[in-house]
Every structure is written in C-alpha cells, then in structure tokens.
Amino acid sequence: MDVMGDKATLFETGRFVQPSSREDTETPDETGEIADEAAEELRQRLAAEAGDVEAMSVLGAMLLRRGDLDGAEPHLRAATAAGDRAAANNLGVLLHQRGYADEAAGWWRIAAVAGSTAAAHALGRHHRERGDEPAAEYWLRQSAEQGHTLGAYALADLLEHRGDAAAEQWMRVAAERGHREAAYRLARALDRKAAREAGGDDDGRAPEEAEQWYRQAAARGHRRAALQLGTILERRGELKEAGRWYLTSAKDGEARAACALGFLLRDAGDTENAAVWWLRAAQDGDGNAANALGALHAERGETQTAERWYRAAMDAGDVNGAYNLGLLCAEQGRTAQAEQWYRRAAYAGHREAANALAILLLQGGDETGAEPWFSKAAEAGSVDAAFNLGILHAGRGEDRAALRWYERAAAAGHTEAALQVGIARLRDGDEQEAERHLRCAAGGGSAEAAYRLATVLDARRPPEPAHELGEPVHRRSECEEWYERAASQGHRRAQVRVGMLAAARGDVVEAARWYREAAEAGSRNGAFNLGLLLAREGSEPEAAVWWTRAADAGHGRAALRLALVYARRGELAEGQRWADRAVSLGPASVTERAERLRDALRQELSA
C-alpha cells in the first residue's frame, strides 16, 4: 500500500520534496532536516489556509506520513473536494488505516479514474484482498502500464499466483525500475527455469542473469538476495566475496547467512568467530547453526553443552538434532538412548538416522527389525543403507538380491559396493563389466579393487617381447601401476606381487623392500619370498628367520625349506620336525617331497 499515494503528481508541485523511504535519503544533519520540515510544514499550512489546493494536499500528505490522521483528514478532504487526485489517493490511505476499507476504495477509484497510478495500485490490492482477482488485475494493470513500480510488482505477483507466464515480464519491469523484492523473485524464477531446462539437475550454479538480479537486490539491502549471492559465490570458490555478502545479510538479521558465515569461518580455521555467528543464528532459531554449535562442543569433549545445542536444534524443527543426539549417545555407550533418538529422527524421515538405527538393531542381534529400516533408508537415497542391505542379503546367501543393492550403491559412487559388484561380475565371467566396476572402486581408493583390477589386466598381458640379443625388454604396464597403487595402500598380496615383478627384472633391493613390508604386515608369502631372496644372496640364517615366520603362519613350502636347512646342518631331529609340519601343511607337491625327506631323516636317525 502506498502510504503517500501519487508521488509523481506530488513531486511535480515542487512542494513535496521528501522521498517516502528514509533509506533512499542521506541525512547528514538530522536536526537541520527537522527544522526544514517544520518550516516547510508552516509554509504549506499558510498556503492551505489561503485556499491553495495543492498546499492542502501536500500538508495532508505530510501529516499523514507523520501519523497525525486527525490533522491530515480535513486537509485531504478539502483538497479532494477541489479535485486533487493525489489528495483523493491519500484520503483513501488514511481511511484504510482507520479501518474503513470500502470507503477508502471509493476514494481510490476516484483518484485512479483521474489518472493516479498509486491509487490504481492501492485499489488493485484492495480487490485482491477481497478475492476479486479480475478487478484486481484490471487496476493493477492500469497502474503498471502507466509506469508505477509497485503496481508492476503487484501485478506480477498476482499473475505468478495464477501460473501465468506473463508474470516474469512484469516482475522484470518492476526489477528494472529498482524494486528489490522483484529483482530477488525474478532471480529465483530464472533459477527455477534453468533447473527445469536442465531436467531437474541442480548443480548449484545460477544462470548469469539470475546472479545479476541477486546482486542488484542485495545491493539494495535485500538480505535473502545477499544470502543467495553468497551461496553462489561460495560454490564458485570466491570465498572472500561470498563472506562479505553473508556478513551483509547476517547483519540485517538473516539467520541462515549468519550460519553460512560461521561455516565459512570454520573452514578457514577461525572456529572462535565461527562460534560467534553460529550462536547468533541459533539464538534466532536456526537449527543448522545449533547443530554446528553442538558438533563444536562435542569435538571439545563438552558433551553436556553439545547435547543442549542438539536439543535446541531439534526444538527449532531440525531433525538433524535428534540424529546428532543419537550419535552422541552411541559414542558414550548409551545404546538405549541412542536408539530412542535415532528412531525419532528416522520416523521424521532422516535417512541416515534410519540406517544408523538399523545398524544398532543388527548389532543387538535383531536382524528382522533392522532390515525394514535399511530398506527405508535406502529407498530414501541413503547409499550406505543400500550397501548394508547388500551385506545383509549376502550373509544369507541371497546373492542376486545382494548384487541388486550393491549395484544401486555403486551407481551412487559407493566404493566398496563397486568392489563387490566387480567381484560378483568376475565370478559370473563378465570380465568387461567387472573391470568397469573395479576401476570405479580402485579410483575411489579401494586397495582391494586396485589389486583385483591389476590381476585382471595381468592375466591379459602378453609375454614380454625379447630383445634382439635375446634379453627381455621390460615395459611398465598398467597392471603394474595398479599393483603398486594397492601395495602403497598396504595391500599385502599386492606388495608381494610388486616384489615378484621387481625380482623378475633383477631389482633385488626393490623386491626385498616390498617382500619385507608385506612380511612385517603378516603376509606369509611375503616372508617366504623374502627368505628365498636372502638365501640367494647368501644370508641363509636370516632367511631361516623369515621362513620360520611363514611356516608358523601355515606356509608349507617354508616348512619344507626349513627342514632342508636343518638337514644340511646335521640337525636331523629339527629337520624331521619341520618335515612333519610341511607334510601337514601341503600342498600336494610339498607333501610328497616332505614325506620323502622325513623318511630319509628317520632312517638316518635310526641308523
């Protein structure tokens, strides 16, 4: 509702010089301004008493703005009776403020018919409040088409409510004329349109034009536009400017901006100031900020304070509060309370809480109770829940159902799920599909996937081409790169394989390094191969140490080697003991040789 009515007409008089909004005016000397206003009021009052119609209208407007309705009404009525359309509009505003809406509409109609765009706007809003949308559209259009900014915005709002495509046109008109809410809403509309055209795939990047309108609205003090602009800039990595807009919005009272500013400061390492802004946002009812404060205190070991903030988040309607309370209780071993909070969050639709609840139930032996929660979480989009369902079905031997859930999780980027799909496809003989999934898992950091991918590629590798002088030519293959990646991540079998490849090309030092690393991590093959390498280098006593470690871990060939070592040393009883061990460990070829050696040692001992 335009408080002062027909601004254009009043400006043209040369007597009404104050804009309707204080934020558009600089006031370097407030005392001087008040004095000027008083002098202007006195001048208008003298002119009005002398019968000047324009002065009556301006004086009535001045008193109306000041809230002096009783003083303004006689002047406005007098000017209206003399045909002043601005006075008719302002009289309508006055009557509307007094609660006489129908009488106000009558005067607005008179002013609107006389050409007052402000009155047409006010009349259009009056009809919309009464539910008469055709009449509202008629008067708002009259106002908008004659250049009234608020009329253009109100018309756009009405058309948008109806789903009329013309809404964007009028919203743009209002935005171009400086209406900050119109600029913000136009930007939001352009954002939504871009998302629809992209098939609903919102990548977080606002169209360039939308960003420009956000910027314009933010520059005019629109706090939500400043928040949105900060979000766009943060996603783009322009953190310094994003922080400035968050700060602007937060200072204007936007709790979400204060919360976002807190996260920006935390990521920059300034947790102290982050906590200040989170506190401000949380006190204004922002549940996300309350959760952030809870997490901050939890990290510091201040569990009681953390719990208080998580409860505050929950009270603010943020379901993450209940989930975080569940996590806090679970960490403290308060299983019953954790289950209670997980259930509360899960029933409210929190998918990760549903997954956590299912895990809790499963750990308690309630598989029947856990499965529905895993399913609910997975259907809601929890990748971890889909993977857990795969594990659940695999544990029952339901391989097809397990694979279905693994594939679903793998499609969403779950590394371990991709590994399981790759293993299943290898088992089924679908090497091409297996390789695709193993590459995904290996690329995601799975050492086991890197090793299995390497074995697939290794099996395809052609024999090494011979040099023209008969010496083999070594070319680094892709499978070696994957073996090394897995080995560097601590995969013991990969370490052994990398050692074997190094030994094959004559790099004894490198081979020993990888064998030793695998052996020290518990690999019996690594220990056995390290023993072989040391024995070839003439360090049989040290080799025997590693073979002992391998044999104790169940390596039959290592036990056979030890039997031979002790036999050569003349320690026949010890040799026989290791030969017996080799017979029991196998495999068949080792068992056969160990039996012959054992029998020979027995004969020697009994001779």
Side-chain angles (χ1 to χ4, degrees):
M1 199 74 64
D2 289 325
V3 175
M4 296 325 304
D6 191 353
K7 297 175 188 175
T9 302
L10 295 173
F11 274 108
E12 287 165 6
T13 67
R15 297 183 173 87
F16 187 69
V17 294
Q18 293 175 302
S20 61
S21 175
R22 291 179 63 88
E23 68 184 8
D24 295 331
T25 309
E26 294 184 2
T27 56
D29 186 350
E30 189 175 346
T31 304
E33 181 180 301
I34 293 171
D36 289 344
E37 286 181 0
E40 177 66 14
E41 182 182 334
L42 179 59
R43 191 172 71 83
Q44 295 294 346
R45 189 179 295 280
L46 291 173
E49 289 173 356
D52 188 322
V53 175
E54 288 185 357
M56 295 175 194
S57 179
V58 173
L59 179 60
M62 293 174 74
L63 295 169
L64 176 61
R65 183 187 300 117
R66 202 163 63 207
D68 185 359
L69 304 188
D70 291 335
E73 186 169 353
H75 295 293
L76 292 175
R77 285 192 181 277
T80 299
D84 189 290
R85 68 183 189 187
N89 175 61
N90 286 334
L91 181 57
V93 173
L94 185 148
L95 292 167
H96 188 272
Q97 289 182 12
R98 288 189 182 277
Y100 303 123
D102 291 336
E103 188 178 353
W107 289 113
W108 283 329
R109 182 180 295 276
I110 290 170
V113 170
S116 171
T117 56
H121 165 246
L123 187 58
R125 290 193 59 183
H126 168 79
H127 283 298
R128 187 174 182 190
E129 288 168 3
R130 293 294 186 275
D132 188 353
E133 290 195 0
E137 182 181 350
Y138 173 81
W139 289 111
L140 291 175
R141 194 175 292 278
Q142 291 292 317
S143 175
E145 289 177 349
Q146 292 177 56
H148 194 275
T149 301
L150 294 177
Y153 173 72
L155 178 59
D157 184 65
L158 176 64
L159 295 173
E160 187 176 80
H161 172 70
R162 292 182 185 170
D164 192 320
E168 183 181 324
Q169 168 201 340
W170 287 109
M171 200 70 79
R172 188 181 297 276
V173 168
E176 289 171 349
R177 292 174 184 168
H179 194 290
R180 67 184 188 184
E181 181 67 22
Y184 171 72
R185 289 180 61 176
L186 176 60
R188 296 292 290 167
L190 292 169
D191 257 350
R192 288 192 295 270
K193 182 189 289 186
R196 285 195 301 272
E197 290 173 355
D201 182 19
D202 183 10
D203 60 2
R205 292 177 296 180
E208 184 178 348
E209 186 184 4
E211 183 180 337
Q212 290 172 356
W213 287 116
Y214 282 132
R215 194 174 290 276
Q216 178 171 311
R220 290 179 174 272
H222 195 292
R223 66 188 193 187
R224 285 177 295 162
L227 167 64
Q228 192 66 29
L229 183 58
T231 303
I232 292 167
L233 292 166
E234 184 181 359
R235 285 170 176 164
R236 208 158 59 207
E238 299 175 25
L239 303 184
K240 191 172 182 180
E241 188 180 358
R244 286 200 300 269
W245 285 112
Y246 283 148
L247 181 60
T248 299
S249 181
K251 284 182 175 179
D252 284 340
E254 181 60 55
R256 291 174 297 170
C259 180
L261 181 59
F263 281 112
L264 212 59
L265 290 166
R266 181 205 63 182
D267 293 343
D270 189 356
T271 54
E272 185 177 344
N273 280 311
V276 170
W277 286 104
W278 282 333
L279 179 60
R280 184 168 174 173
Q283 289 173 338
D284 286 338
D286 189 283
N288 196 22
N291 272 316
L293 280 172
L296 185 64
H297 287 288
E299 287 172 7
R300 295 171 178 171
E302 300 165 355
T303 55
Q304 287 186 336
T305 307
E307 184 170 338
R308 180 167 62 84
W309 281 114
Y310 287 148
R311 287 179 183 274
M314 189 174 61
D315 292 340
D318 192 326
V319 71
N320 283 313
Y323 174 59
N324 288 332
L325 278 168
L327 291 174
L328 193 66
C329 291
E331 287 172 3
Q332 296 172 339
R334 295 154 58 193
T335 307
Q337 292 93 330
E339 181 180 338
Q340 170 195 343
W341 292 117
Y342 284 149
R343 280 189 186 277
R344 182 162 180 172
Y347 278 121
H350 196 293
R351 65 191 188 190
E352 296 310 326
N355 181 56
L357 174 59
I359 292 172
L360 205 63
L361 293 170
L362 196 61
Q363 288 171 343
D366 186 3
E367 184 177 316
T368 304
E371 186 173 355
W373 285 111
F374 276 137
S375 296
K376 185 174 182 178
E379 293 297 343
S382 171
V383 180
D384 288 335
F387 177 67
N388 288 335
L389 272 173
I391 295 174
L392 200 65
H393 286 291
R396 298 172 183 165
E398 299 165 358
D399 292 340
R400 292 177 65 86
L403 180 58
R404 185 170 67 251
W405 285 110
Y406 284 146
E407 285 178 331
R408 185 164 176 171
H414 196 288
T415 298
E416 289 303 310
L419 169 62
Q420 294 302 321
V421 175
I423 292 171
R425 292 305 181 196
L426 276 178
R427 191 168 53 241
D428 295 340
D430 188 349
E431 191 174 290
Q432 185 175 357
E433 193 66 13
E435 181 184 341
R436 183 174 73 83
H437 281 93
L438 290 174
R439 283 186 183 278
C440 289
S446 170
E448 180 65 24
Y451 172 73
R452 287 179 180 269
L453 175 61
T455 60
V456 169
L457 298 173
D458 202 1
R460 297 181 194 159
R461 190 168 56 161
E464 292 283 357
H467 189 268
E468 59 183 1
L469 297 178
E471 297 177 358
V473 178
H474 177 74
R475 292 188 180 89
R476 185 179 175 80
S477 62
E478 186 187 4
C479 77
E480 287 181 72
E481 293 175 2
W482 286 112
Y483 278 135
E484 287 182 9
R485 181 181 294 195
S488 64
Q489 292 176 264
H491 194 285
R492 292 180 300 181
R493 284 179 293 169
Q495 289 169 341
V496 172
R497 183 60 181 151
V498 171
M500 292 172 66
L501 292 169
R505 60 176 181 265
D507 191 344
V508 178
V509 174
E510 183 73 359
R513 180 174 77 85
W514 284 112
Y515 287 151
R516 189 179 299 276
E517 194 164 332
E520 289 176 349
S523 170
R524 61 188 187 184
N525 285 330
F528 175 70
N529 287 357
L530 178 59
L532 289 178
L533 206 63
L534 291 167
R536 289 187 193 125
E537 296 297 313
S539 300
E540 189 174 86
E542 188 181 355
V545 172
W546 288 106
W547 284 333
T548 301
R549 181 180 291 192
D552 286 341
H555 198 288
R557 291 176 65 196
L560 179 58
R561 287 276 177 174
L562 285 169
L564 291 169
V565 167
Y566 285 111
R568 283 197 298 270
R569 291 179 184 173
E571 299 178 27
L572 303 184
E574 188 67 8
Q576 185 180 347
R577 185 174 75 82
W578 282 112
D580 284 337
R581 177 79 169 142
V583 169
S584 64
L585 291 174
S589 58
V590 169
T591 298
E592 183 181 347
R593 292 176 60 195
E595 284 175 343
R596 289 201 300 269
L597 177 60
R598 182 185 61 187
D599 293 343
L601 290 173
R602 279 177 181 169
Q603 289 176 4
E604 197 68 28
L605 284 167
S606 60

